[in-house]
Amino acid sequence: MVIEVFEKEIRDINDTPIVQQTAFWSEVKSHQGLGTKAFDFKVKNRDIYTNVGGHSYTNADVLVLQKPLNSEYSMAYVPYGPEIEPSEEFQGRFLEELSEIIRSHLPKSCIAIRYDLNWQSHWCDESNYDDQGVWIGPPEKKYQEFQLNYGTVEWNLRKSNSDILPSTTIYLDLSLSEDEILMQMKPKTRYNIRLAEKKGIRVKRVGLDKISIWYDLYKETALRNGLYINDIEYFSSVLTAKADDTASPARVELLLAEHEGEPLAAIFLVMSGHRGTYLYGASSSRKRNYMPTYALQWEAIKIAKEYGCTEYDMFGVSPGPDHSHPMYGLYQFKTGFGGELFHHLGCWDYLLDEENYRYLLISEMNAQGYYLS
């Protein structure tokens, strides 16, 4: 397999529905103190897709973030990329070849390239579901690694101990009419949307001047659910980042649900390409029976449709109805809106420095995860 790779300007990153692979996201992460690089690549279709011949090529690009681990070592991180998805039997070879070329553009201190793959899990056929239609999930790590590394030269791909971005999400089809979208929801969800309206919940678009209101709701949510708390600048960077003069901008809306002027819930909606993404959410413990979170999601769906999006990403649920999973509550809430569950391959590390890879593992053990427990 031969892949031609060229470093490119961040502003020229291709337009994409994956917000984490846009020039906008590079701007966000730059504000948060991370270095970013972008690469164009070109590969023959017959080298990455089955049953394809001839001399046609795929041209695509990838955004890479550079994250320090300590004073000596760093890692490269590819959030939900690369966007193109080779056929299963070519995926490991493709990642190996791409990584070996990209490594020359990375600092010597870089231990590994972590791909947070948004490609569909290999373990999603009928045999991976139980009698109730619930996903069983992937096999043990060693079997996952054997399958993805099969056909590679160095067998350098390792399944990460945890995923950074959600590995299971729900996509809603926004090409349907509003009535059709409503009819795909569970009856209880439709009822709660109507109840929120009846109770007088109002949703409005707000700006940076209301970021402190968002942050108060966010901190309350984090403490209630045992979540790690980011600082307010983390969210300000998402709201203020501008990439309008680039090939891959994004539109951000901070939506606030109120009752008689009292803030009850808020979400960040990000629109990129043909997709709207529910990125962050927060809610108060007060007046939860007024269903402000349902009103927010319905308004976000309508806004995304208004801007021409044909897909809505609910962004993160538990892999199935497992009551013990920390994201089970999100599964209950988000599946009520209909749509289809999608299981990603999740995070994979391509080792550049096997001897010092332990520093990456140590940094993960010491780092604060999304959930405190």
Side-chain angles (χ1 to χ4, degrees):
M1 180 182 297
V2 176
I3 305 177
E4 298 178 50
V5 179
F6 311 94
E7 193 164 352
K8 68 186 297 185
E9 295 290 331
I10 293 294
R11 67 181 312 279
D12 295 326
I13 293 175
N14 299 340
D15 189 29
T16 171
I18 303 173
V19 64
Q20 294 83 5
Q21 281 293 307
T22 60
F24 163 78
W25 199 246
S26 172
E27 185 73 10
V28 169
K29 291 303 171 182
S30 294
H31 286 179
Q32 295 174 1
L34 298 184
T36 64
K37 287 179 177 288
F39 301 92
D40 271 325
F41 62 87
K42 178 181 178 182
V43 59
K44 284 184 178 179
N45 289 328
R46 68 188 186 194
D47 288 341
I48 57 173
Y49 302 121
T50 57
N51 303 317
V52 174
H55 299 280
S56 60
Y57 284 85
T58 286
N59 293 276
D61 62 8
V62 64
L63 172 66
V64 181
L65 310 181
Q66 300 174 84
K67 304 177 72 170
L69 299 175
N70 54 33
S71 59
E72 289 187 76
Y73 299 108
S74 64
M75 66 173 283
Y77 174 56
V78 184
Y80 280 170
E83 181 178 3
I84 68 159
E85 183 172 347
S87 300
E88 283 188 13
E89 56 260 53
F90 297 125
Q91 288 177 357
R93 289 173 56 198
F94 169 75
L95 290 174
E96 178 180 60
E97 184 70 18
L98 183 64
S99 301
E100 287 296 332
I101 299 173
I102 287 178
R103 75 185 301 166
S104 65
H105 297 270
L106 300 174
K108 298 292 186 183
S109 63
C110 189
I111 292 172
I113 303 173
R114 172 162 294 178
Y115 294 96
D116 209 330
L117 296 172
N118 70 327
W119 304 345
Q120 186 174 37
S121 171
H122 295 180
W123 298 277
C124 283
D125 59 26
E126 292 182 1
S127 64
N128 292 98
Y129 290 81
D130 65 19
D131 294 339
Q132 284 73 48
V134 176
W135 192 52
I136 298 171
E140 294 179 44
K141 277 179 62 173
K142 61 181 180 181
Y143 297 115
Q144 295 182 59
E145 291 176 351
F146 179 85
Q147 182 155 332
L148 195 61
N149 279 290
Y150 187 78
T152 63
V153 176
E154 301 294 339
W155 288 69
N156 267 344
L157 289 161
R158 303 285 188 276
K159 182 70 183 77
S160 306
N161 291 324
S162 60
D163 297 319
I164 297 175
L165 293 169
S167 59
T168 301
T169 190
I170 298 172
Y171 292 117
L172 305 185
D173 182 1
L174 299 191
S175 67
L176 303 174
S177 68
E178 289 185 11
D179 287 342
E180 288 171 326
I181 293 171
L182 283 166
M183 289 308 299
Q184 291 205 340
M185 297 179 188
K186 292 180 180 178
K188 182 72 176 295
T189 299
R190 289 197 300 271
Y191 173 81
N192 287 340
I193 290 172
R194 291 193 295 267
L195 179 61
E197 184 177 5
K198 185 177 180 181
K199 290 285 189 179
I201 297 295
R202 296 291 177 263
V203 178
K204 62 183 183 180
R205 307 180 201 192
V206 297
L208 188 62
D209 60 318
K210 303 296 184 184
I211 195 69
S212 60
I213 294 176
W214 151 264
Y215 197 65
D216 287 342
L217 291 168
Y218 162 73
K219 286 191 295 182
E220 182 179 347
T221 303
L223 292 171
R224 185 173 66 237
N225 295 306
L227 305 177
Y228 172 69
I229 300 178
N230 288 299
D231 58 35
I232 193 170
E233 287 76 20
Y234 180 91
F235 299 103
S236 297
S237 66
V238 178
L239 202 57
T240 58
K242 298 297 181 186
D244 296 341
D245 61 342
T246 72
S248 52
R251 184 181 183 93
V252 182
E253 297 283 1
L254 177 55
L255 306 180
L256 179 64
E258 296 180 330
H259 180 258
E260 296 178 347
E262 179 183 8
L264 297 179
I267 66 172
F268 277 75
L269 167 66
V270 183
M271 290 164 285
S272 173
H274 66 262
R275 181 182 298 165
T277 299
Y278 162 37
L279 200 57
Y280 309 114
S283 63
S284 170
S285 296
R286 301 179 303 279
K287 299 182 181 179
R288 299 187 75 177
N289 59 322
Y290 284 28
M291 305 301 166
T293 56
Y294 289 87
L296 275 172
Q297 289 299 327
W298 181 230
E299 186 64 23
I301 288 168
K302 291 189 290 183
I303 289 173
K305 277 184 65 66
E306 173 188 330
Y307 283 100
C309 296
T310 57
E311 188 174 64
Y312 186 74
D313 184 356
M314 298 295 288
F315 201 65
V317 294
S318 59
D322 178 1
H323 292 251
S324 65
H325 195 284
M327 297 180 77
Y328 172 67
L330 293 174
Y331 177 92
Q332 276 190 308
F333 172 66
K334 294 179 180 180
T335 54
F337 288 86
E340 294 186 6
L341 276 173
F342 186 88
H343 303 286
H344 300 290
L345 270 177
C347 281
W348 288 80
D349 296 335
Y350 184 83
L351 275 57
L352 303 178
D353 182 353
E354 187 167 7
E355 182 180 349
N356 291 307
Y357 182 58
R358 66 184 185 276
Y359 288 110
L360 172 54
L361 302 180
I362 291 169
S363 73
E364 288 185 310
M365 288 192 303
N366 294 334
Q368 182 61 67
Y370 188 69
Y371 286 89
L372 297 176
S373 57

